[in-house]
Every structure is written in C-alpha cells, then in structure tokens.
C-alpha cells in the first residue's frame, strides 16, 4: 500500500530517489503506427503534416536537443564507405543512424546524452521509429521475404 501522506521515519519529506532499473519500455496503443506525425500550422494558414520519417521530425519534436534545427533521419541517407570516404548505393537504416547519433566519442561531447529524462524519451521515441520502419519493410516486401525461405 502506498500512502502519499506517510513517509519512513528519518527520511526527508522531499527526498528524491533516482530510478534503480536500467530498462525502458514503450507501449503504442493503436494498430496504426502512422499516426505519430507532426502537424504544423503554417503562417499562410495551411496545415502541413510531417511523418516521423521526415527529415525535420527530430528537430520539430525535440527542439531543445536540436537547437539549430538539424535534419534527422530520413530514408535517403546514403552510407559512406569508411575506407574511401565515398558514398555508396546502400541506404542507412534508422537503427544505424540513431546508433551513430547516440555513440559516445572520445574528445567530443554529445549533448543528447546529457538531457536525462528527455534523453530517455528521445531513445524510446526513436526506437518506436526504428520498429515502425522495420515493420513497414516487412509489410512492403512480403513476396521477397517469402521467396527467401
């Protein structure tokens, strides 16, 4: 039983206990994953709908993390060959992109990693984007996936 008006003997009334679990979960209550769009009301009065795979989604959803309005993930980011530094025909997946964005690097700060609860929300939201992309790929490529078995 939890009683908000009671506290343990000897503890401060406004004591904050940090989370002790390293797990984060996401629950999307809907059968339709495409409703995570951002809706913008433009100055002209027009309404613009940007999907979660639009390059501006990350900057619009998390303006504190992306102060300069940097582009986020989108389907047309090409991979770069690490030996030659040239672009390839292969496209970057959402998982590869966000793995790169969240990477800890020596001699470079990553401000995303310093945002505590917002960082957690960002990770969960981007994981939902990764899973949405994966499920969309499976749905759109059923014939190719069945022929590989």
């Amino acid at each position: 039983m939890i009683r908000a008006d009671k506290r343990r003997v000897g503890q401060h009334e406004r004591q904050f206990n940090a989370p002790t679990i390293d797990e984060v979960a996401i629950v999307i209550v809907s059968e339709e994953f495409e409703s995570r769009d951002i809706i913008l009301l433009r100055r002209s009065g027009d309404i613009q709908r940007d999907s979660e795979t639009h390059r501006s989604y990350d900057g619009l959803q998390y303006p504190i993390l992306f102060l300069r309005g940097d582009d986020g993930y989108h389907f047309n980011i090409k991979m770069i060959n690490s030996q030659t530094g040239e672009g390839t025909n292969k496209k970057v997946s959402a998982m590869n992109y966000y793995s790169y964005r969240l990477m800890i690097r020596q001699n470079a700060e990553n401000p995303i990693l310093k945002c505590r609860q917002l960082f957690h929300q960002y990770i969960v939201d981007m994981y939902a984007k990764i899973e949405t992309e994966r499920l969309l790929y499976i749905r759109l490529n059923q014939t190719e996936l069945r022929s590989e078995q």
Side-chain angles (χ1 to χ4, degrees):
M1 183 184 305
I2 298 174
R3 295 186 181 181
D5 60 336
K6 303 285 184 187
R7 65 178 183 273
R8 292 186 186 162
V9 176
Q11 286 188 339
H12 190 270
E13 65 185 49
R14 288 187 276 292
Q15 178 181 0
F16 173 74
N17 295 322
T20 58
I21 297 175
D22 293 333
E23 298 176 10
V24 178
I26 181 170
V27 177
I28 299 177
V29 185
S30 174
E31 292 180 15
E32 190 175 321
F33 291 103
E34 297 162 334
S35 62
R36 295 168 25 105
D37 299 348
I38 292 179
I39 299 173
L40 302 170
L41 179 61
R42 303 190 65 113
R43 289 184 181 177
S44 63
D46 297 336
I47 293 177
Q48 178 181 338
R49 186 179 197 114
D50 288 342
S51 71
E52 66 181 1
T53 54
H54 190 275
R55 66 181 44 206
S56 300
Y57 178 86
D58 295 0
L60 291 170
Q61 185 72 6
Y62 298 96
I64 294 173
L65 296 177
F66 304 100
L67 296 173
R68 291 184 221 116
D70 301 334
D71 284 345
Y73 173 75
H74 55 92
F75 291 126
N76 295 321
I77 300 174
K78 302 280 187 179
M79 279 194 160
I80 296 176
N81 187 331
S82 58
Q83 279 89 25
T84 64
E86 296 179 14
T88 64
N89 290 335
K90 213 172 173 188
K91 293 184 181 178
V92 174
S93 70
M95 182 178 279
N96 288 341
Y97 178 83
Y98 289 110
S99 296
Y100 176 80
R101 288 298 304 245
L102 298 174
M103 191 178 296
I104 298 172
R105 296 178 183 83
Q106 290 182 353
N107 302 324
E109 282 193 19
N110 189 344
I112 296 173
L113 302 176
K114 296 182 176 187
C115 292
R116 297 185 182 188
Q117 284 89 354
L118 186 60
F119 168 65
H120 290 227
Q121 180 180 333
Y122 177 75
I123 288 175
V124 171
D125 192 19
M126 296 311 118
Y127 181 74
K129 184 188 288 191
I130 292 167
E131 284 300 305
T132 302
E133 181 186 286
R134 186 181 68 81
L135 293 172
L136 179 64
Y137 177 83
I138 290 170
R139 188 173 67 207
L140 296 177
N141 295 292
Q142 283 294 307
T143 55
E144 294 172 22
L145 295 172
R146 287 185 184 154
S147 64
E148 291 177 11
Q149 293 179 350

